Amino acid sequence: MKKFINHVDTLLDESLRGFAKAHADLVEVSFSPRFVRRKEVAPGKVALISGGGAGHEPLHTGFVGRGMLDAACPGQVFTSPTPDQMLAAAEAVAGDQGVLFIVKNYAGDVMNFEMAAEMLDCPSRTVLVQDDIALPKEHEIGRRGVAGTTIVEKIVGAAAEEGRSLDDLKTLGDRVAENTASIGVALSGCHVPALGGPTFELPPDKIEFGVGIHGEHGREIAEFASATEIVKRMVEAINEELQPKRGDKVLLHVNGLGATTLMELYLVYELAHEFWHQEGVEIARSLVGNYTTALDMAGCSVTLTRLDDEMIRLWDAPVHTAALRWGYDHTGPNS
Amino acid sequence: MKKFINHVDTLLDESLRGFAKAHADLVEVSFSPRFVRRKEVAPGKVALISGGGAGHEPLHTGFVGRGMLDAACPGQVFTSPTPDQMLAAAEAVAGDQGVLFIVKNYAGDVMNFEMAAEMLDCPSRTVLVQDDIALPKEHEIGRRGVAGTTIVEKIVGAAAEEGRSLDDLKTLGDRVAENTASIGVALSGCHVPALGGPTFELPPDKIEFGVGIHGEHGREIAEFASATEIVKRMVEAINEELQPKRGDKVLLHVNGLGATTLMELYLVYELAHEFWHQEGVEIARSLVGNYTTALDMAGCSVTLTRLDDEMIRLWDAPVHTAALRWGYDHTGPNS
């Protein structure tokens, strides 16, 4: 396994040091404990904090900035951050209005964010993202949080920027999360630096349907097929879950898992768009690219969010982070 | 080789159709002949047109929009576009001020853009990008154009937006190109859909030093080593070429070739930044991410541009394209 790396133990910090320098206009990075914070936090707002294991970049560190997260706490690759990271991040960016944590539904993340919330001196609420429909709703460990997290963080981030209350943001975040569903497909496993090899191996004629962003087993190992057939299966699974009606407005997010080309992602977007267009569902907003990756996994996920007018307005609101940008004026690239 | 694809012959058009829909606020796509044009071209400006084989996305289609390209002509994967594409694109977006072509130095591209220029009814000039220092300057086929193309297109794009003349833009583009040098390293080959397999294979302990963005052989097949050692070799090669002096301002661009994680790219950026910082060179601007890819190749390139005050001002000027964005106000994501 070849990677640009010096040592497994120093990878995260060396990478964060580069991130801090490349985006010095937007963020500051603390290393002990580790968190990325927005350079200038708007006063009087609820602080939005997320985090999770590294290896999914740009999620979450790439979403710290104006109109989105106030801080993100990266754990080691595929490893939950610790409560002291969330606590330190909250102390750095939170004011009287409290903290909203946005947490992907994994046991370690949930436990550590809960511990941080208990130790915190200010009010806090948590939005749990569990958009991965690979597992049934009633599964004992619940559904995983995957690419839909970006949609939750963007929409809630815009509302926080408007000065909305903690309870308001919690309600909004839950609404976005409940209206969001994702499904992923892997064409290959990914290479975790600490393991030195692939998380799993797929024969040349197989795909992992419903894969998680750490290479978790999905619904089944299926036959490799044409893009049309694979995407049809993905969108039908999402459609069955969310059941958007004719005339409904939705956001369609096609996310690359790491090693899949933009050409393919736009092709997947085209096929998914065509499906919902035929169903009479309006693709009102779109996002295509690598936003929630699984290291160097070849594969992609499709995410759909049922939108209401408020969610559309908040999606369109200005954002300026390392990885997601629109609508701000007079913003240099990294001056 | 597994990819999200229906057929080699339909990949490009299916992908472009998705691109057109996902960015309907920014671009329009013509299919016969193929080009992507900016939706609203500012009147009275020189038209900036680029193009080249597909497989390097977001280059060039992702750079069509306000403050950058007016049109881009994609060929099939790793295949030059044809003169009729450039002609049709020019007819769609060019006015009295003429056309500036930005061309990467490959025999097919150069020839086809030259033919288009000859057939064109308005004045045109061409900026040739040949930033890849893997080959010596005096090499018979000249140096290849690689990731430095993004820098040329952004800076010249901003100047065109200001209404500068064709001759001005040609002079500026040449100045940026001459002050830009890149070197790439591959950890793996890439998979061309029409070939069905990797362009080349590297043993587990080898890297391709000086690789081109189509998998061209570079300076040598070298031993795999730590990131620090690999990056040291890359930056020393660039430093010897450009010879930035103490106090010089530069732009540092670390570009992913497709399958390399952002964690690694920021680590490479950190190491390169440290090198020039020690040399007393000021990293005044930065760009880190996947901008000039080689399909799903694992690897990255480092690009350095020596900046003057005008180039810095133009780099900072607003841009809003699918893949590069800063500084515009009231710009929705894709509404």
Side-chain angles (χ1 to χ4, degrees), chain B residues 50-125:
Chain B
S50 190
H56 307 299
E57 289 71 20
L59 186 85
H60 302 270
T61 49
F63 298 146
V64 174
R66 283 179 285 174
M68 219 159 160
L69 298 179
D70 294 293
C73 307
Q76 292 290 348
V77 171
F78 291 1
T79 305
S80 174
T82 50
D84 61 312
Q85 294 178 252
M86 295 79 151
L87 260 184
E91 278 163 17
V93 298
D96 299 339
Q97 303 303 310
V99 178
L100 186 73
F101 292 116
I102 300 180
V103 182
K104 303 195 298 303
N105 188 32
Y106 299 96
D109 290 16
V110 171
M111 186 180 70
N112 287 339
F113 273 97
E114 265 175 17
M115 282 177 64
E118 280 169 23
M119 291 152 76
L120 204 61
D121 270 341
C122 68
S124 75
R125 306 291 299 270

Side-chain angles (χ1 to χ4, degrees), chain A residues 29-278:
Chain A
V29 179
S30 156
F31 288 89
S32 183
R34 279 183 203 92
F35 63 90
V36 174
R37 62 159 290 180
R38 185 171 155 178
K39 196 162 184 179
E40 291 163 20
V41 179
K45 77 185 282 289
V46 170
L48 236 65
I49 300 179
S50 190
H56 307 299
E57 289 71 19
L59 183 88
H60 300 272
T61 48
F63 298 147
V64 174
R66 282 179 285 173
M68 219 162 158
L69 299 178
D70 294 293
C73 307
Q76 291 291 347
V77 171
F78 292 2
T79 305
S80 173
T82 51
D84 62 312
Q85 293 178 253
M86 295 79 149
L87 261 184
E91 279 163 16
V93 298
D96 299 339
Q97 303 302 311
V99 177
L100 185 73
F101 292 115
I102 299 180
V103 182
K104 302 196 299 302
N105 188 32
Y106 299 96
D109 289 16
V110 171
M111 186 179 72
N112 288 339
F113 272 98
E114 266 175 16
M115 283 177 63
E118 280 169 23
M119 291 152 77
L120 204 61
D121 269 341
C122 69
S124 75
R125 304 294 297 270
T126 296
V127 171
L128 201 61
V129 184
Q130 35 196 336
D131 56 312
D132 186 353
I133 62 166
L135 298 177
K137 239 182 187 158
E138 56 281 10
H139 193 281
E140 57 181 311
I141 60 164
R143 285 174 160 179
R144 305 177 287 238
V146 292
T149 313
T150 303
I151 315 304
V152 176
E153 293 180 357
K154 167 64 186 88
I155 291 177
V156 178
E161 205 77 17
E162 291 182 349
R164 303 268 287 273
S165 74
L166 183 56
D167 286 341
D168 260 21
L169 295 176
K170 159 71 177 159
T171 305
L172 172 68
D174 285 347
R175 196 167 92 234
V176 180
E178 281 159 16
N179 282 286
T180 297
S182 302
I183 190 98
V185 163
L187 306 185
S188 80
C190 57
H191 297 79
V192 179
L195 292 180
T199 46
F200 62 86
E201 303 222 39
L202 283 169
D205 59 342
K206 302 290 182 193
I207 62 173
E208 178 81 51
F209 187 82
V211 72
I213 56 172
H214 310 89
E216 296 97 330
H217 182 56
R219 290 189 179 187
E220 64 160 336
I221 294 175
E223 295 296 314
F224 177 61
S226 69
T228 294
E229 288 170 68
I230 295 174
V231 174
K232 181 169 186 285
R233 238 190 115 177
M234 296 173 87
V235 297
E236 283 178 350
I238 290 172
N239 208 53
E240 191 181 316
E241 177 76 26
L242 284 185
Q243 308 203 348
K245 286 186 279 294
R246 191 165 282 272
D248 276 1
K249 290 180 180 174
V250 295
L251 186 157
L252 173 56
H253 173 29
V254 174
N255 173 60
L257 292 174
T260 291
T261 63
L262 275 181
M263 281 190 88
E264 291 165 87
L265 298 183
Y266 281 111
L267 181 150
V268 168
Y269 173 87
E270 164 67 13
L271 297 170
H273 191 289
E274 190 57 26
F275 173 85
W276 276 299
H277 180 69
Q278 295 288 343

Side-chain angles (χ1 to χ4, degrees), chain B residues 247-251 281-284 305-309 312:
Chain B
D248 276 0
K249 290 180 179 174
V250 296
L251 186 158
V281 173
E282 184 188 344
I283 310 288
T305 300
R306 292 174 59 191
L307 298 168
D308 54 40
D309 289 344
I312 292 177

Side-chain angles (χ1 to χ4, degrees), chain B residues 65 88 149 160 164 185 205 207 232 253 264 287-288 295 312 325:
Chain B
T149 313
R164 303 266 288 272
V185 164
D205 58 344
I207 63 174
K232 181 169 186 286
H253 174 29
E264 293 165 86
L287 186 67
V288 182
L295 292 169
I312 292 177
R325 296 178 178 185

Side-chain angles (χ1 to χ4, degrees), chain A residues 2 23 266 286 328 334, chain B residues 2 23 206 266 286 328 334:
Chain A
K2 283 174 285 184
H23 303 290
Y266 281 111
S286 308
Y328 270 107
N334 45 35
Chain B
K2 284 175 285 185
H23 303 289
K206 302 290 182 194
Y266 280 112
S286 307
Y328 270 107
N334 43 39

